[in-house]
Amino acid sequence: MFLFDVAPRIAANLVGLAVAGLTHSVTLYLAIQLVGGVVLVVCSASVVRKRFGRPDRTSVSRLATTLRYQSSGVLSAIAGSAYTNIPIVFVGAVGGARRDEVLFAFRILRIAITGITPLTQFLQGWVPRRDSDVVQQLKRLRIALRLAAATALVMTLGLASLLPAVSSLVTDGQIFVSFDVSAAIAIAVGAIAASQITGLVCLVGLGRERAVAVSTTAGAIAGVALMLAFNAFAAAAGVAWSVAVAETVVLVVQCAALRRAMHSLEQSAMRAAATPGSRRPVEPLAPASPGKRDTASRVS
């Protein structure tokens, strides 16, 4: 995942920024993004085909069954895309004096999210799936949550303090992201960093994909509603704050669901420990079978 999905995205961003800085051409930057997207798709497809062979014929009914089986992941992807992309379209369409500032801030948000992905993908493979050793699962879940809190704190404080200076530096003074917008983007990135772990790592690992779908849907509803309301008072900057609130809603809903799930897991572990002879032997943790992709990978 890192080599054939994340690495081409990061490379396309870095090369695109360098070329855009040297040539001042937005067209070249977009072309490099396109090349990076094509490369990652081709590489991933070739690896999958080499490992699993030519895919079977896919009928409409089979596709519908697959989508029903993965309905929570599909809903999460649609809702998440809605409240992260609609604001960008809205700012671009409505315009305003601060349009370029907010659009630049959203671009930094996208780059920051790409930087979080390797940590999320590592934790998806490191935190045991459900039906594993409960004690070890709880231990690693708690470590993952501490990493989520630390990552969110560092990224929030870092972006809030550095984004104004960075924006002026990389745009040669043409764009300056003010503190109110940088604070909103920093909160959004921090919430995304935490929710990537609480959702895709912890909740999906516990088999609570529906809770992830509920959280992203709640975030989409809150984000779109607040985007329309904030725009009436704060123009483009209000859209940035709507995304910050939406991502915070996602994180709060996921934390509530995760607390319930971990409490249930702890109770099960206590009951098993109190019942003599009820604990089954624990098999060593091993990577998932190549023929069975875990739900977390599909959601991400």
Side-chain angles (χ1 to χ4, degrees):
M1 286 290 290
F2 176 79
L3 183 61
F4 297 111
D5 184 86
V6 179
R9 295 179 193 274
I10 295 176
N13 273 309
L14 294 178
V15 174
L17 287 172
V19 171
L22 293 173
T23 64
H24 303 284
S25 172
V26 176
T27 303
L28 283 177
Y29 175 77
L30 295 175
I32 292 171
Q33 296 293 300
L34 175 60
V35 171
V38 172
V39 168
L40 72 90
V41 171
V42 171
C43 289
S44 298
S46 63
V47 170
V48 171
R49 184 169 179 177
K50 182 179 180 180
R51 178 172 295 184
F52 300 110
R54 184 182 295 275
D56 298 332
R57 281 185 169 273
T58 301
S59 63
V60 175
S61 60
R62 188 174 180 181
L63 178 61
T65 302
T66 303
L67 289 176
R68 283 197 300 270
Y69 176 73
Q70 300 181 17
S71 59
S72 296
V74 172
L75 180 60
S76 299
I78 293 173
S81 179
Y83 68 76
T84 55
N85 288 300
I86 289 179
I88 299 174
V89 176
F90 190 83
V91 172
V94 174
R98 305 179 68 181
R99 182 187 64 179
D100 292 343
E101 173 192 351
V102 176
L103 289 177
F104 178 86
F106 273 117
R107 185 60 193 164
I108 297 298
L109 180 146
R110 289 298 188 87
I111 295 173
I113 293 174
T114 303
I116 299 167
T117 306
L119 175 62
T120 305
Q121 291 179 344
F122 165 75
L123 290 175
Q124 283 177 332
W126 184 73
V127 174
R129 304 292 93 186
R130 53 182 173 178
D131 300 327
S132 301
D133 181 356
V134 175
V135 175
Q136 187 174 19
Q137 187 178 33
L138 283 170
K139 179 181 177 180
R140 292 196 177 185
L141 282 170
R142 294 189 182 103
I143 293 174
L145 290 175
R146 286 195 287 270
L147 280 173
T151 303
L153 181 62
V154 169
M155 297 198 74
T156 300
L157 295 178
L159 275 178
S161 59
L162 296 177
L163 185 53
V166 170
S167 63
S168 179
L169 177 65
V170 301
T171 63
D172 196 24
Q174 298 299 311
I175 297 175
F176 177 78
V177 177
S178 56
F179 179 75
D180 59 339
V181 174
S182 67
I185 294 299
I187 292 172
V189 170
I192 292 171
S195 64
Q196 288 278 308
I197 297 175
T198 57
L200 297 181
V201 175
C202 299
L203 285 173
V204 172
L206 293 171
R208 304 299 177 96
E209 295 90 349
R210 187 179 297 275
V212 179
V214 169
S215 68
T216 53
T217 302
I221 294 172
V224 174
L226 289 173
M227 178 184 65
L228 297 174
F230 283 176
N231 185 69
F233 302 100
V239 179
W241 278 104
S242 72
V243 175
V245 173
E247 296 294 354
T248 303
V249 168
V250 173
L251 180 60
V252 169
V253 173
Q254 288 185 359
C255 286
L258 183 57
R259 182 179 181 181
R260 293 192 298 269
M262 291 186 67
H263 179 72
S264 176
L265 196 63
E266 289 168 352
Q267 293 297 316
S268 298
M270 291 173 61
R271 286 194 298 268
T275 304
S278 64
R279 298 181 64 184
R280 63 181 181 182
V282 178
E283 297 179 359
L285 291 175
S289 171
K292 298 180 179 179
R293 294 181 61 195
D294 59 279
T295 309
S297 298
R298 294 195 297 267
V299 173
S300 64

